[in-house]
Amino acid sequence: LSRERAASSIGVEFDDKFVRATLDGLGIIYENKGGNYECIIPSFRPDLEREIDLSEELARVYGFDKIESKTTYVGHVTTIVPDDENTIDELRDYCAGAGFTEVITNSLISEQDVETLADLKPLPVVNPLSREMSIMRPSLLPGLLGAISYNLRRGEKNLNLFEYGNIFQAEKKKWVESPQFTGVACGNRVSKGWRQDQHTNDLFLLKGVVYDLANRFGFDGSFGELEKSIVYLYGMSWETSSGSLASIGSVTSELLENYDIDFPVVSFELNLELLGSSRETVHFRKLPQFPSIDRDLSLSVLSSVSIGELESIIQKNGTDLLRATKLYDLYEGDQIESGMMSVTFSLSFRSDERTLRDSEIDSIMEEIISETSSELDAKLR
């Protein structure tokens, strides 16, 4: 609590004596550091979450009727401070718009729920009310899988759920409470109809969600494969220069069996710390004045090579003239050597300053072909 900020927001200069008396009366433990009070809020006042809540308490004790009204307010913004709540609200709005439903599950789970999460050290409750509520959850996934199981027993198989809540894990010999944002999906996202085909909730849906969120929050990057874990049978993560933004994967059958779920479930988890960091500044620019040059690139590579690896090499060697990379064909079958696949990308090149020449693009394409050949043993088709 800062006396200076409290005076700025309330409009009254509070002296140290009044602030100390008010905090003492509220049962708040504090330490005065030059007009800034570090406060420990008592458990019976869960409504005091932010500094502005304490400022409001000062105003309430002082008396709202004693605060003179002002007809004008003058101020200036020197910087934009990221607001974690704004980030969470935007994530909630986006997921709801993408067809997901928010759920709130119990933060207390059973020992059976954490048996398949062996890598996560559980935090036991000293005096649990029951066996089903004896562990503080180390992940949101058990609660979400429990929600799926609950709905399955009532005949609802098409589910898209997400939850934002706190988890409890051990870090460096101490327990840490941290927020987590996790989602799950199963069944069909679009049921079959006379004018539409059936579309299943799968990893491609979650890839689209993560890709859209990365663009919305201003993070460049690409998908990379995750190592097999106790949670994911197969997974991917969106990697940026600042770290991993999100992970997605297909939940292991061992974990699903624990909840009597007998069909695939996919899940995603977001890095809230990275999402809440400062975003890149959005810049507006004129519509293109010069034409683009489009080229197709068809390569034959090993089936074990990921599309993300190919895209990364293409974008790295495409220079700043490469404006768009799109995979529009992938083939594995009798017409190609066993263990190989054929991929075709559509590349679009454009300059904002001049009309490009074919010779420039030829040089860039040769460099891309050379690098994909040397790094991934790709062959031009």
Side-chain angles (χ1 to χ4, degrees), residues 313-373:
I313 294 175
I314 292 172
Q315 292 168 0
K316 180 180 178 181
N317 294 277
T319 73
D320 58 351
L321 298 178
L322 179 60
R323 298 305 175 90
T325 304
K326 181 180 180 181
L327 172 71
Y328 75 84
D329 185 61
L330 188 153
Y331 174 77
E332 292 180 280
D334 298 335
Q335 304 300 319
I336 192 172
E337 185 180 346
S338 176
M340 304 291 287
M341 66 178 177
S342 172
V343 294
T344 302
F345 292 93
S346 175
L347 310 181
S348 180
F349 299 88
R350 190 183 69 247
S351 171
D352 294 331
E353 302 173 352
R354 55 190 171 82
T355 300
L356 297 176
R357 298 176 180 272
D358 284 334
S359 57
E360 294 179 82
I361 306 306
D362 291 340
S363 176
I364 295 175
M365 292 295 292
E366 289 175 3
E367 183 66 22
I368 292 174
I369 294 169
S370 174
E371 288 299 315
T372 54
S373 176

Side-chain angles (χ1 to χ4, degrees), residues 47-88:
D47 56 309
L48 301 180
E49 296 180 341
R50 300 172 297 170
E51 181 183 2
I52 192 64
D53 297 329
L54 293 175
S55 298
E56 185 179 357
E57 288 297 301
L58 293 178
R60 181 179 64 82
V61 174
Y62 180 80
F64 291 122
D65 57 318
K66 297 179 182 178
I67 301 175
E68 297 181 2
S69 62
K70 295 182 179 180
T71 57
T72 60
Y73 176 80
V74 178
H76 63 279
V77 177
T78 57
T79 184
I80 298 176
V81 180
D83 190 330
D84 293 339
E85 290 301 322
N86 285 343
T87 300
I88 298 303

Side-chain angles (χ1 to χ4, degrees), residues 170-194:
E171 288 185 12
K172 297 180 180 179
K173 298 182 179 181
K174 66 177 182 179
W175 296 105
V176 177
E177 180 179 358
S178 58
Q180 190 178 73
F181 197 104
T182 302
V184 292
C186 61
N188 300 322
R189 68 176 183 271
V190 177
S191 298
K192 188 175 182 179
W194 72 279

Side-chain angles (χ1 to χ4, degrees), residues 126-243:
V126 175
N127 188 21
L129 295 175
S130 67
R131 291 183 178 180
E132 286 70 29
M133 296 188 294
S134 59
I135 303 293
M136 299 294 288
R137 62 185 178 191
S139 169
L140 297 181
L141 193 56
L144 289 168
L145 293 178
I148 289 178
S149 178
Y150 181 89
N151 280 272
L152 287 179
R153 294 195 297 271
R154 286 153 181 81
E156 182 56 58
K157 297 182 178 180
N158 305 322
L159 299 166
N160 298 67
L161 309 175
F162 76 90
E163 181 176 12
Y164 167 70
N166 289 341
I167 60 172
F168 308 85
Q169 293 182 342
E171 288 185 12
K172 297 180 180 179
K173 298 182 179 181
K174 66 177 182 179
W175 296 105
V176 177
E177 180 179 358
S178 58
Q180 190 178 73
F181 197 104
T182 302
V184 292
C186 61
N188 300 322
R189 68 176 183 271
V190 177
S191 298
K192 188 175 182 179
W194 72 279
R195 295 187 63 185
Q196 63 190 20
D197 294 328
Q198 175 178 296
H199 295 280
T200 305
N201 283 320
D202 53 20
L203 283 180
F204 293 105
L205 166 69
L206 300 190
K207 282 185 70 175
V209 168
V210 171
Y211 183 80
D212 200 13
L213 284 174
N215 288 333
R216 181 182 291 249
F217 282 82
F219 289 97
D220 293 327
S222 61
F223 279 105
E225 188 173 350
L226 280 176
E227 295 183 2
K228 185 178 178 180
S229 68
I230 57 171
V231 175
Y232 295 144
L233 178 65
Y234 174 79
M236 293 176 283
S237 64
W238 180 268
E239 299 295 333
T240 72
S241 57
S242 303

